[in-house]
Amino acid sequence: MTSPVLHRETQHLIELQLNGRPHSGLARPRLLLTDFLRQQLGATGTHVGCEHGVCGACTVQVDGVAQRACLTLAVQVAGCRVDTVEGLASHDGVLGDLQTAFKRHHALQCGFCTAGILMSCTDWLARLRSASRQPDEAEVREMLSGHLCRCTGYTPIVAAVMEVARHA
Ligand code: FES
Ligand code: FES
């Protein structure tokens, strides 16, 4: 009888800029970015829902582009800038414009979806701003279609995003 082969995966040192600050941690080749952020770097603001790229809860920005952390391997972000919801407020805790609008419009209830929505919206709004474009409501709803929210019915989220887009 042959003995089972024990396979040890190599751990890789991942260095990255997380919310503008240098961080590093060890990751096996198949470690997801969600688990790396939450378990190795303590960035638990990034939520894990479906782990299949469907719900959007895990959305972060990699080099400024919104992306599903549950479909990204930690080793893929070595040397990248990664931004998570923890980076939206200032260091002294003042909420960003979009966070403030969410609060004003009651655009969250349980908040499970919120971090991912904020990270998608900030990327999307920045791209519209650089193109000097104002979105209409249908465009906001289409953008939000990549995120599942079981609580709000989306209307207050749309209102918050529209408000920030108007004042951009
Ligand atoms: S946890 Fe990544 S899309 Fe749902
Ligand atoms: S606020 Fe609960 S899922 Fe969106």
Side-chain angles (χ1 to χ4, degrees), residues 71-93:
L71 298 182
T72 306
L73 297 171
V75 292
Q76 291 177 289
V77 303
C80 295
R81 178 186 172 111
V82 176
D83 292 291
T84 64
V85 70
E86 285 93 342
L88 292 183
S90 68
H91 294 314
D92 51 3

Side-chain angles (χ1 to χ4, degrees), residues 29-104:
R30 287 177 288 182
L31 184 69
L32 296 175
L33 180 56
T34 41
D35 296 332
F36 183 67
L37 287 170
R38 292 175 57 84
Q39 294 163 16
Q40 291 258 343
L41 304 185
T44 54
T46 299
H47 291 163
V48 180
C50 64
E51 290 192 279
H52 285 86
V54 175
C55 73
C58 65
T59 304
V60 299
Q61 291 176 14
V62 179
D63 290 336
V65 178
Q67 146 170 355
R68 302 288 205 239
C70 75
L71 298 182
T72 306
L73 297 171
V75 292
Q76 291 177 289
V77 303
C80 295
R81 178 186 172 111
V82 176
D83 292 291
T84 64
V85 70
E86 285 93 342
L88 292 183
S90 68
H91 294 314
D92 51 3
V94 178
L95 297 179
D97 290 348
L98 192 59
Q99 291 171 305
T100 304
F102 266 55
K103 189 174 171 189
R104 186 165 38 248

Side-chain angles (χ1 to χ4, degrees), residues 108-114 148-152:
L108 64 152
Q109 289 177 35
C110 78
F112 195 84
C113 67
T114 310
L148 299 181
C149 175
R150 297 184 302 178
C151 305
T152 64

Side-chain angles (χ1 to χ4, degrees), residues 127-146:
R127 281 185 281 125
L128 287 177
R129 206 172 298 131
S130 60
S132 302
R133 272 216 332 103
Q134 294 260 331
D136 60 27
E137 184 177 324
E139 289 175 297
V140 174
R141 287 186 180 278
E142 186 182 341
M143 183 270 297
L144 289 171
S145 68

